[in-house]
Amino acid sequence: MDQTADAWPCESLCVAQKTVVPININSLRTACSQCNLRELCLTYGLNEQDLEKLESLVGSRRRIRRGTHLYRAGENFEALYAIRSGFFKTDVLLEDGRDQVTGFQMAGEILGMDGISCESHTCNAIALEDSEVCVIPYSLLESLSREIETLQHNFHKVMSREIVRDHGIMMLLGSMRAEERLSAFLLNMSQRFQARGYSEAEFHLRMTREEIGSYLGLKLETVSRAFSRFQEEGLIAVQQKHIRILDIAGLKRILNHQAI
Amino acid sequence: MDQTADAWPCESLCVAQKTVVPININSLRTACSQCNLRELCLTYGLNEQDLEKLESLVGSRRRIRRGTHLYRAGENFEALYAIRSGFFKTDVLLEDGRDQVTGFQMAGEILGMDGISCESHTCNAIALEDSEVCVIPYSLLESLSREIETLQHNFHKVMSREIVRDHGIMMLLGSMRAEERLSAFLLNMSQRFQARGYSEAEFHLRMTREEIGSYLGLKLETVSRAFSRFQEEGLIAVQQKHIRILDIAGLKRILNHQAI
DNA sequence: CGCGCCTTTGAAGGAGCTCAATTTAGGTGG
DNA sequence: CCACCTAAATTGAGCTCCTTCAAAGGCGCG
């Protein structure tokens, strides 16, 4: 099935990507072998035996209150973080004060890979709602992935996926107009919520218009106006942070540069 | 030394990055242990013993004529490529025909990491001049990096650096004006040429104005006008693809959002 | 209930785009 | 070696989409 069709533009070129089975995120247990997010996380496809070895991988959990940092640019890099629950943004800052949101991350996704290259983080990770992460000490991940081939492979795929995702955003920022960008954003959110067992058509955005704008290379007013126009055209129903998508095909048409 | 100061904006936040020693790219030998690009490549810091194991890593060489593809989006992913000599661009295509250059790669850099995530390439890699690459079969790289810790670590760093680089470009595309973008581009090129032992102040661009524009999210006319303005202001001397940087500090001032 | 923050909406301005014409460079063949 | 040809680059003028500045409305939280 083409669950990838509404991913970032260039991800749709990715034929072999696995179909993510919607999963249930209710009961929370302790280790990877019991984790409901397994299908989305680093441990995908590991056998029972290997999963046992992994019990040591997740050192601890950390709760991050809404609005606080998981890590900051410049801090020492020691661990990756797998999001158990919640919602994050990452952003980078320029000396002159300008900043840019580089991504929004949700349950099952991995944070912190920017830190590997120079052993210190290059961006900030901030919780947009009360969240919980699994702390994955990086040295442990490296040594375990020397033992467990599947883990190694998954880790590489996760990093590569991040690169592909970034290329999609570069495409978006470099060659799309405002409404195309917002359409891509909404479709991407929709698809990710769906992959986690939530509604693809109705969801709460955790970020402000300004954060969306920063991510999409637009001003908050432009984002707001685009939302309003989508609503006028019957593509979505929007009330503050609550979004209901009424016409997915219509949004896709906009993304594909076609007029309504 | 702050050779990182003129890297992409957010890379300058990266304190721990190694200083790349300028190297001599004249004599070409066969294996990694003899390669002059070692300092820039995956084999950095490996001891003699490990380097011997690596002889098998580079399966073969491939010559790529100017204007031809190293790989195409959609093709099966089987290997990474280390550039021995030459110059490449990568780009992604949208269904509606729009495309975007996602990067320019030069000697010592690794191509193809986009393909890991779904076992097929998601972008095109095209030689901008006659080039030569080392073919690194991916399965071999994975098994060798389970044996050789340093290789594993280097590989992860290379992928992470790609992510950090992409964040820098997202920053550029999302929040810089045309002249800031071009300034960042020139400073980045200058720094990379310097790291390879070439002049930081004078070099030949291998790409057209249109390709630069695509990379920077601008139209070719805008790029051309920005070049002309830089020349009027005495920051650079430009004659077609030949660039001479006259005032690096001035370019940096532009990048930092300050007026002349 | 009131305050602050977020969002919406309007009107004017500007940076970069589009369209178009001209110049220049580089490659080809006589 | 020169004339020719094509692709790339430059430059101008008008236009458009997004930004900027401003004001008002709404929601949530103490």
Side-chain angles (χ1 to χ4, degrees):
Chain A
M1 277 286 295
D2 69 337
Q3 65 91 23
T4 62
D6 30 25
W8 291 116
C10 87
E11 280 180 68
S12 63
L13 298 170
C14 174
V15 235
Q17 192 174 326
K18 265 178 220 87
T19 301
V20 179
V21 183
I23 49 171
N24 182 340
I25 314 201
N26 293 325
S27 60
L28 296 179
R29 309 250 181 69
T30 37
C32 292
S33 61
Q34 307 294 330
C35 180
N36 285 304
L37 291 164
R38 210 136 70 73
E39 313 292 305
L40 295 167
C41 195
L42 281 170
T43 57
Y44 183 85
L46 265 67
N47 58 37
E48 290 299 315
Q49 216 173 342
D50 286 338
L51 275 173
E52 275 172 39
K53 287 195 208 166
L54 271 185
E55 302 304 295
S56 65
L57 180 57
V58 172
S60 61
R61 298 275 173 71
R62 232 177 101 185
R63 294 191 162 279
I64 314 292
R65 288 226 160 278
R66 174 191 160 134
T68 61
H69 283 71
L70 173 57
Y71 56 79
R72 287 168 194 274
E75 278 181 15
N76 235 29
F77 167 73
E78 269 152 18
L80 299 179
Y81 304 95
I83 304 177
R84 267 190 80 78
S85 65
F87 205 95
F88 286 83
K89 71 167 177 180
T90 48
D91 64 10
V92 291
L93 265 107
L94 237 51
E95 293 87 37
D96 57 28
R98 283 180 288 184
D99 72 333
Q100 166 110 8
V101 172
T102 53
F104 297 110
Q105 296 81 16
M106 44 207 280
E109 295 176 339
I110 308 290
L111 275 165
M113 292 176 293
D114 58 281
I116 299 170
S117 73
C118 23
E119 279 132 29
S120 71
H121 287 287
T122 59
C123 64
N124 303 292
I126 297 145
L128 294 182
E129 63 180 30
D130 290 355
S131 304
E132 195 182 19
V133 298
C134 300
V135 180
I136 305 173
Y138 181 62
S139 55
L140 200 53
L141 175 62
E142 281 204 333
S143 63
L144 271 172
S145 66
R146 264 178 270 128
E147 286 177 40
I148 307 172
E149 206 172 322
T150 314
L151 177 65
Q152 179 196 38
H153 201 64
N154 284 352
F155 176 43
H156 292 167
K157 281 195 171 188
V158 166
M159 292 203 90
S160 173
R161 195 170 305 145
E162 178 78 13
I163 291 172
V164 173
R165 188 191 72 89
D166 291 347
H167 288 177
I169 297 169
M170 286 165 60
M171 169 107 243
L172 177 146
L173 291 170
S175 58
M176 290 190 189
R177 18 200 73 251
E179 296 192 359
E180 293 169 346
R181 295 184 198 191
L182 191 64
S183 173
F185 171 75
L186 289 172
L187 291 167
N188 177 264
M189 281 291 149
S190 162
Q191 184 240 327
R192 285 159 75 195
F193 278 118
Q194 185 182 29
R196 282 156 185 78
Y198 299 113
S199 166
E200 64 178 325
E202 197 163 0
F203 45 83
H204 251 87
L205 297 175
R206 310 301 151 100
M207 68 294 278
T208 66
R209 300 288 189 265
E210 187 171 19
E211 286 164 332
I212 297 173
S214 172
Y215 186 50
L216 300 179
L218 303 168
K219 293 291 151 185
L220 67 97
E221 296 94 331
T222 308
V223 174
S224 180
R225 275 185 251 268
F227 269 125
S228 301
R229 265 202 66 163
F230 283 179
Q231 179 151 257
E232 282 166 31
E233 286 159 359
L235 296 168
I236 62 172
V238 50
Q239 195 180 20
Q240 306 287 126
K241 295 192 158 68
H242 189 83
I243 304 284
R244 204 147 46 86
I245 299 185
L246 305 171
D247 182 2
I248 289 202
L251 288 177
K252 285 182 186 164
R253 274 197 302 277
I254 287 187
L255 184 54
N256 291 330
H257 211 49
Q258 298 161 291
I260 323 275
Chain B
M1 277 286 294
D2 69 337
Q3 65 93 21
T4 62
D6 32 25
W8 292 116
C10 89
E11 279 181 69
S12 62
L13 300 169
C14 175
V15 236
Q17 192 174 327
K18 265 179 220 86
T19 300
V20 178
V21 183
I23 47 171
N24 183 339
I25 315 203
N26 294 326
S27 60
L28 295 179
R29 308 253 180 66
T30 37
C32 292
S33 61
Q34 308 294 330
C35 179
N36 285 305
L37 292 164
R38 210 134 70 74
E39 314 291 306
L40 293 168
C41 195
L42 281 170
T43 57
Y44 182 85
L46 264 68
N47 59 37
E48 289 300 315
Q49 215 174 341
D50 287 337
L51 276 172
E52 276 173 36
K53 287 195 206 165
L54 272 185
E55 302 304 293
S56 64
L57 180 56
V58 172
S60 60
R61 298 276 174 69
R62 233 178 100 186
R63 295 192 161 279
I64 315 291
R65 288 226 159 279
R66 173 191 161 132
T68 62
H69 284 70
L70 172 58
Y71 56 80
R72 287 169 194 273
E75 277 181 15
N76 236 29
F77 167 73
E78 269 153 19
L80 298 179
Y81 305 95
I83 305 176
R84 266 190 81 79
S85 65
F87 205 95
F88 286 83
K89 71 167 178 181
T90 48
D91 66 9
V92 291
L93 266 108
L94 238 50
E95 294 86 37
D96 56 28
R98 283 179 290 183
D99 72 332
Q100 165 110 7
V101 173
T102 53
F104 298 110
Q105 296 82 15
M106 42 206 283
E109 296 176 338
I110 308 291
L111 273 165
M113 292 177 292
D114 58 281
I116 299 171
S117 73
C118 22
E119 279 134 30
S120 70
H121 287 288
T122 58
C123 63
N124 304 292
I126 298 143
L128 295 182
E129 62 180 32
D130 291 355
S131 305
E132 194 181 21
V133 299
C134 300
V135 180
I136 305 173
Y138 181 63
S139 56
L140 201 54
L141 176 61
E142 280 204 333
S143 64
L144 271 172
S145 65
R146 264 178 270 127
E147 285 176 41
I148 307 173
E149 207 172 321
T150 314
L151 177 65
Q152 179 196 37
H153 201 63
N154 285 352
F155 176 44
H156 292 167
K157 281 194 173 191
V158 167
M159 293 203 90
S160 173
R161 195 171 304 142
E162 179 77 13
I163 291 172
V164 172
R165 187 192 73 89
D166 291 346
H167 287 177
I169 298 167
M170 286 165 59
M171 170 107 240
L172 177 146
L173 291 170
S175 55
M176 290 189 188
R177 14 202 81 254
E179 296 193 358
E180 293 168 346
R181 295 184 200 192
L182 190 64
S183 173
F185 171 76
L186 288 173
L187 290 168
N188 177 265
M189 280 292 150
S190 162
Q191 184 239 327
R192 286 159 74 193
F193 278 118
Q194 185 183 27
R196 281 156 186 79
Y198 298 113
S199 166
E200 63 178 325
E202 197 164 1
F203 44 85
H204 251 87
L205 296 175
R206 312 299 153 98
M207 68 295 277
T208 66
R209 299 289 189 263
E210 187 170 20
E211 286 163 332
I212 297 173
S214 172
Y215 185 50
L216 300 179
L218 302 168
K219 293 290 151 183
L220 69 96
E221 296 94 331
T222 308
V223 173
S224 180
R225 275 185 251 269
F227 269 125
S228 301
R229 265 202 67 161
F230 283 179
Q231 179 152 258
E232 283 166 31
E233 286 159 0
L235 296 167
I236 62 172
V238 50
Q239 196 180 21
Q240 304 287 127
K241 293 191 161 65
H242 189 83
I243 304 285
R244 204 147 45 86
I245 299 184
L246 305 172
D247 182 2
I248 289 203
L251 288 177
K252 285 182 186 166
R253 275 198 301 279
I254 287 187
L255 183 54
N256 291 327
H257 210 49
Q258 298 160 291
I260 326 279

